[in-house]
Amino acid sequence: MVVFCFLVDQKRKIKRTKPVAGSCSRCRRGASVAEIITKTRFCYVPIYWRSSKAIVCTFCDATLKTYP
Ligand SMILES: [Zn+2]
């Protein structure tokens, strides 16, 4: 039996956060700088991942600023 698998998905995971000066524009709470790991999976096997940094709000999950 041959099983064809065309399942590709991306998972975003926040690895760690650190409080940073400034506040969230949505809920006015403290913002954090986060390291985000984006994993691209093919048939549930991670084939590619990259990390990026962004300013996020850990209370309402808003992304306030991303770094290229
Ligand atoms: Zn917020």
Side-chain angles (χ1 to χ4, degrees):
M1 197 177 116
V2 180
V3 178
F4 292 102
C5 183
F6 299 104
L7 193 70
V8 178
D9 69 344
Q10 266 195 341
K11 275 214 173 219
R12 204 178 81 138
K13 197 179 174 190
I14 292 172
K15 202 177 166 195
R16 57 168 171 248
T17 57
K18 206 165 64 176
V20 72
S23 60
C24 174
S25 53
R26 270 213 265 174
C27 66
R28 303 284 167 204
R29 297 219 213 181
S32 299
V33 62
E35 197 180 327
I36 298 165
I37 310 287
T38 309
K39 269 187 194 169
T40 303
R41 300 190 308 169
F42 180 70
C43 304
Y44 300 106
V45 179
I47 51 165
Y48 172 75
W49 58 89
R50 67 188 179 92
S51 66
S52 57
K53 277 190 176 177
I55 306 281
V56 296
C57 174
T58 50
F59 297 99
C60 69
D61 215 26
T63 304
L64 307 170
K65 191 183 174 179
T66 51
Y67 298 102

